[in-house]
Amino acid sequence: MRDLFLGLDCSTQSLTALLVDYNSGKVIYRYSINFDKDLPHYKTQNGVIILGDSQVIHSYPLMWVEALELLIKRMKNEKIPINKIKAISGSGQQHGTVYLNSKFERTLKELDVKKSLASQLEPTLSRHTSPIWMDSSTTKQCEEIRKNLGGLISTIELLGSNTIERFSGPQIRKFFQEKINDYNNTSIIHLVSSFMASILLGKNAPIDHGDGAGMNLMNIRTKLWDDRALEATAPNLKEKLPSLAHPFTIIGKLSPFFVDKFGFNPDTNLIVWSGDNPNSLIGVGLIERGKVAVSLGTSDTYFGYLHDLYLDFQGEGHVFGAPTGDYMSLICYKNGSLARERIKERFNINWEQFSEILNKSPPGNNGKLMLPYFFPEIVPQVLKPQVYRFGFDENDIEGNVRGIIEAQFLSMKLHSQWIGEKPKEIYATGGASTNKDIIQVLANVFNARVRIFDFTDSAALGAAFRAVKSFYDSEKKIKSWHEIIYNFIDFEKSIMVKPDKKYIELYRDMLDLYKKYEEYILKSGKNPDLSRLGFIKKYF
Ligand code: ADP
Ligand code: XUL
């Protein structure tokens, strides 16, 4: 008898399923629904819609629901043994909020197998779109909440993060201020993760501590909703939020809708969902200190396992709950894959050509340097997008290709210093981690080895690992994280990209230069052009 587990990941651009077989330690099925391509009637671009200006970015909860039904339908049509699945867990893009009215839970309990999920759930939404992590339109609300909580330091002490534009609390406050009637008609506010879990469960599912920490509403120490934060955000908010749960909680059995319509086993367990970054932490096997992961997905993130709570009082970094019950640190960039794609599209090249061009230019880019704010940026905070180029222009193909990659990793190195530990090894994941040439620049800038895996779906894999762990623990066949991770991930087989020691000093100097340009542009610092000329003289 095979023990199968399903990990789902509802990310910015796609919904992915990984079916894993614990006994063979293998992923036996992968399927992904791309929102733009497979559900074109929502007219999303890269899974999102831009409302008004570049700061208001939403997506459609019904699109995620339709994707879920489509995905499971395809699994059934392909005769995947879904009746053998023991447990399911999932992952969602973090921070996004879904607003539902009083019909939601009743509708979930009475779902009709003859009708589609989306058509039945449409009347239960009190807001048809969801603000997602790319939205940066809540600066006013962030300031109001922060002030109410006693300023930057006390906010970070309480919540593990500063108030941040994309986080759920400020987004909820904006909705309450701008659409008071719709807010009052909202009975429950879910995260993407708990919304998707609720549909599978057939009733409201809790939010886990990993994703809950990305809301500006959860006390980072007690891991409970914080009354002061709730009050500073919107009235009667506590009654509109699901409960909070440990990341290994079994939340119930799969809803009869999925059992009757698709043939799942009625005994299929559901494990609480979490955010994509906490899931990825476990999905790449990060359960110890000294190593960090860099995820190059729609967002670029840099994160690591924390045994103890460790806060960034500068306010750029975040602390979330980790799937192990400990903590994780994280910084997140909006100018990730989509910014790299801007350069790729500008010169009409594919990723192979992008790599070739990257390799033609030398490390240090002949002293050409970019500040890559194609979109509003999170770290450092840049609300009005603008790309700054020093020593080259937008028509210089080599300058731009190397310029963006070096800028992204230099910024990551600069802004991750609060975490304290210098990583000896970096685990790379996400769509762009398949690109070895991009990864070589990461290794050189950080002067660290980078491990590339033969899978990039670390969030879905992490969700499957959490399903494995919770299921076996509940059956008293306890398995350690180490055992589960090593059962599936063959670390020997992963590719190791080594830093080229020739460039240690060059990138140290370039980091200094990058910092000066950031200060020059963002904090009206001194113009560092002379230092850049010195850099060119020294290395080129
Ligand atoms: P998410 O999970 O956030 O939706 P993924 O981790 O699936 O995103 O990553 C998708 C991104 O990966 C695409 O937007 C694309 O830019 C990038 N990508 C895919 N292949 C390559 C490649 N060979 N080189 C660089 N980037 C790539
Ligand atoms: C993390 C963040 C993004 C999203 C989407 O704080 O905003 O990484 O989780 O991937």
Side-chain angles (χ1 to χ4, degrees), residues 90-127:
S91 160
Q93 51 167 308
Q94 295 197 253
H95 319 295
T97 36
V98 184
Y99 299 76
L100 300 137
N101 61 33
S102 58
K103 293 187 222 133
F104 181 58
E105 211 164 25
R106 194 165 12 102
T107 306
L108 284 181
K109 288 204 174 93
E110 295 169 358
L111 285 172
D112 180 350
V113 291
K114 291 194 229 54
K115 297 184 189 151
S116 74
L117 264 182
S119 67
Q120 296 182 79
L121 289 174
E122 185 166 17
T124 73
L125 289 166
S126 57
R127 191 181 192 182

Side-chain angles (χ1 to χ4, degrees), residues 12 92-95 133 166-167 276-277 299 301 318 320 330 332 378:
T12 316
Q93 51 167 308
Q94 295 197 253
H95 319 295
W133 68 274
R166 69 190 191 284
F167 277 37
D276 53 356
N277 293 295
S299 62
T301 55
H318 316 303
F320 297 152
L330 176 133
C332 175
I378 299 166

Side-chain angles (χ1 to χ4, degrees), residues 9-16 30 32 35 46 93 133 276 295-299 336-341 344 350-352 354-355 405 429-436 438 456-459:
D9 175 30
C10 186
S11 78
T12 316
Q13 304 195 48
S14 55
L15 176 73
T16 301
R30 177 190 188 275
S32 196
F35 299 135
N46 299 112
Q93 51 167 308
W133 68 274
D276 53 356
S295 170
L296 305 174
T298 311
S299 62
S337 281
L338 301 186
R340 289 184 285 276
E341 281 177 25
K344 176 175 148 285
N350 58 30
W351 287 121
E352 284 86 62
F354 188 96
S355 283
I405 302 299
T429 181
S433 68
T434 50
N435 190 319
K436 252 186 92 180
I438 292 179
T456 58
D457 305 305
S458 52

Side-chain angles (χ1 to χ4, degrees), residues 1 24 50 62 89 95 134 145 151 179 189 242 291 325 329 336 342 345 366 375 392 453 462 470 488 495:
M1 260 284 278
S24 68
I50 302 175
L62 273 191
S89 190
H95 319 295
M134 293 167 98
I145 300 170
K179 296 266 162 67
I189 304 173
K291 289 175 188 151
S329 54
R342 280 284 177 95
E345 278 152 24
N366 292 313
F375 305 94
F392 69 117
F453 300 94
S470 298
F488 286 101
I495 299 171

